[in-house]
Amino acid sequence: MFKHFTHQDELKNLSSNAEDKIQPVLREIDERVEANQYRVLQAFHQNRISDYHFTPSTGYGYDDDGRDTLEKLYADVFGGEAGLVRPQIVSGTHAIATALFGVLRPGDELLYITGAPYDTLEEIVGKRGSGNGSLKDFNIGYQDIPLSNGAVDYDAVKAAITDQTKVIGIQRSKGYANRPSFTIDEIREMIEFIKSIKEDVIVFVDNCYGEFVEELEPCHVGADLIAGSLIKNPGAGIVKTGGYLVGRENLIELCGYRLTSPGIGREVGASLYSLQEMYQGIFLAPHTVGQAVKGAVYSSALLEAAGFDTTPHWNSKRTDLIQSVQFNDRERMVAFCQAIQSASPVNAHVRPEPAYMPGYEDDVIMAAGTFIQGASLELSADGPLRPPYVAYVQGGLTFEHVKISVLRAVDELLIKGLITV
């Protein structure tokens, strides 16, 4: 493979050293994959999954046993009482909005304790935009508590909780923030602290990018409601659209009313031809997520050797797919993302350029030559163009593809004289 790179000797040496160093970490990832695969397989057996569950429904989708059983399967896998898994949920942001609008009412307050959430949630809560149907428009309060040195500021959280605080929001993944992602153990600690202050508060966790990276999920440690996207981890790169919510039965019922309408809820919603890939996706997800996490570990080790600051470090505990790389320079960040695009299986000939993207305040560059548009479990590299110019490398259906892509990116930076090794 290395003969295809301009700086083949330098890259071969960097890669060999990185792979030797990360072998113990890769073995640990394999063990987690096995544990998660067993849990998923057990859920398939408990729900007696059969090929008739793949039968499509049309129209209203009444009595769609495949859809209803899939939702029970998700609940079992993710540790909740019930699930809502639908192709009608168009993204992770939509799943989160369904959760928040489903359980919050005028006069309530949403409190995010992990700092400001994704840029795409700012218009949902009402931090940006007006009159667009945000929580603010419905007289639902919102505030977020800034992190203190990358950790939850528990004193500030305690002071901020009031009688109106109905939902506590936790974002598991760093998203586009330059802070650590939160592990399941850390989320457990947050939940125990919150419940000790206000037992009846609803703890909502945005689980995007985190599914199957650890052996437990947020509902296993006390979260009341979680949400995510099927074109991220649980879809294994084969599910074309959709999202999920898992949690307490009464909360999922409310979310169902929000997704469709009051009085109808989860009883309707045609599955069309999505069921087989959704079942197969969650079955394959532990393995595919493992491949992506291995790719992230390799990327971190290689890019650190090439002189970049990466978060998390190659030997850090991981709880999501996100691997951030700090370039401190616009040109290097753009060149890196363009090289990742050139190594994609789809649209490799396309040259991404920074541009406006709905929901984001800054121009964003996005390398994403994916089989499914926007699929974050497939390899991508993107980020907003703002100092310190951090790109977020995520996903990868195979470890080998991640390895080739990152090597090509480093080779391209060497060719352009933007780095030396």
Side-chain angles (χ1 to χ4, degrees), residues 271-292:
S271 56
L272 301 176
Y273 293 93
S274 62
L275 286 172
Q276 184 172 12
E277 66 188 39
M278 286 183 176
Y279 278 104
Q280 191 170 9
I282 194 169
F283 177 74
L284 294 173
H287 171 76
T288 311
V289 170
Q291 293 289 295

Side-chain angles (χ1 to χ4, degrees), residues 20-327:
D20 288 344
K21 187 162 51 176
I22 66 176
Q23 284 307 309
V25 180
L26 300 189
R27 285 194 292 271
E28 291 177 3
I29 293 170
D30 285 336
E31 291 175 0
R32 283 194 291 275
V33 168
E34 290 171 355
N36 286 327
Q37 189 68 71
Y38 189 90
R39 174 160 51 93
V40 171
L41 185 61
Q42 192 174 36
F44 269 74
H45 294 167
Q46 288 172 347
N47 287 280
R48 302 172 67 89
I49 304 306
S50 178
D51 51 6
Y52 77 81
H53 286 118
F54 309 151
T55 305
S57 65
T58 60
Y60 296 126
Y62 286 139
D63 302 316
D64 187 333
D65 191 46
R67 177 198 65 209
D68 296 343
T69 302
L70 178 67
E71 293 178 339
K72 293 175 185 175
L73 176 74
Y74 260 73
D76 288 343
V77 168
F78 289 108
E81 295 175 356
L84 186 65
V85 187
R86 303 295 170 101
Q88 290 85 5
I89 300 175
V90 301
S91 67
T93 300
H94 184 199
I96 295 166
T98 301
L100 298 179
F101 280 100
V103 303
L104 287 161
R105 298 293 180 266
D108 292 339
E109 182 186 65
L110 166 66
L111 176 66
Y112 256 79
I113 68 170
T114 50
Y118 298 123
D119 290 12
T120 53
L121 265 65
E122 290 185 353
E123 292 190 53
I124 292 172
V125 301
K127 287 185 70 172
R128 282 192 291 121
S130 61
N132 63 349
S134 69
L135 294 177
K136 184 179 180 180
D137 292 342
F138 287 87
N139 194 32
I140 298 170
Y142 169 79
Q143 63 171 316
D144 52 60
I145 305 299
L147 297 173
S148 176
N149 296 317
V152 172
D153 187 338
Y154 285 106
D155 290 337
V157 170
K158 184 176 183 179
I161 295 176
T162 68
D163 290 341
Q164 285 70 46
T165 306
K166 176 75 169 294
V167 174
I168 297 287
I170 296 171
Q171 183 177 294
R172 180 175 178 177
S173 177
K174 71 176 73 177
Y176 281 161
N178 192 20
R179 55 91 163 164
S181 298
F182 292 107
T183 67
I184 293 296
D185 284 342
E186 290 169 329
I187 292 173
R188 184 202 306 269
E189 182 181 345
M190 294 177 209
I191 294 171
E192 290 175 351
F193 177 81
I194 293 161
K195 296 287 188 177
S196 72
I197 298 170
K198 190 173 185 183
E199 189 176 3
D200 63 346
V201 76
I202 298 167
V203 177
F204 166 74
V205 179
D206 170 3
N207 207 29
C208 288
Y209 303 104
E211 300 92 346
F212 300 114
V213 177
E214 298 193 63
E215 289 186 30
L216 296 176
E217 301 293 338
C219 286
H220 291 127
V221 296
D224 299 296
L225 187 62
I226 65 174
S229 168
L230 300 193
I231 64 170
K232 293 184 174 69
N233 302 21
I238 65 171
V239 179
K240 299 180 182 68
T241 190
Y244 77 91
L245 296 97
V246 165
R248 285 173 19 205
E249 174 74 38
N250 64 319
L251 301 180
I252 294 296
E253 189 74 8
L254 291 173
C255 293
Y257 291 146
R258 174 67 191 185
L259 181 64
T260 59
S261 75
I264 295 178
R266 293 180 284 165
E267 297 300 316
V268 302
S271 56
L272 301 176
Y273 293 93
S274 62
L275 286 172
Q276 184 172 12
E277 66 188 39
M278 286 183 176
Y279 278 104
Q280 191 170 9
I282 194 169
F283 177 74
L284 294 173
H287 171 76
T288 311
V289 170
Q291 293 289 295
V293 176
K294 286 182 178 182
V297 170
Y298 173 85
S299 299
S300 177
L302 186 85
L303 292 170
E304 283 182 15
F308 295 104
D309 291 329
T310 68
T311 306
H313 297 298
W314 64 268
N315 62 348
S316 297
K317 181 176 175 62
R318 291 177 183 264
T319 190
D320 66 4
L321 299 182
I322 310 297
Q323 179 63 56
S324 66
V325 187
Q326 185 170 318
F327 292 93

Side-chain angles (χ1 to χ4, degrees), residues 318-369:
R318 291 177 183 264
T319 190
D320 66 4
L321 299 182
I322 310 297
Q323 179 63 56
S324 66
V325 187
Q326 185 170 318
F327 292 93
N328 298 315
D329 179 88
R330 178 188 175 98
E331 186 180 4
R332 288 199 293 182
M333 177 176 169
V334 170
F336 178 88
C337 292
Q338 289 174 341
I340 294 294
Q341 180 77 37
S342 73
S344 300
V346 180
N347 290 329
H349 57 285
V350 174
R351 180 185 175 92
E353 296 288 350
Y356 167 76
M357 183 170 290
Y360 294 96
E361 190 171 354
D362 300 279
D363 283 352
V364 174
I365 185 165
M366 181 167 289

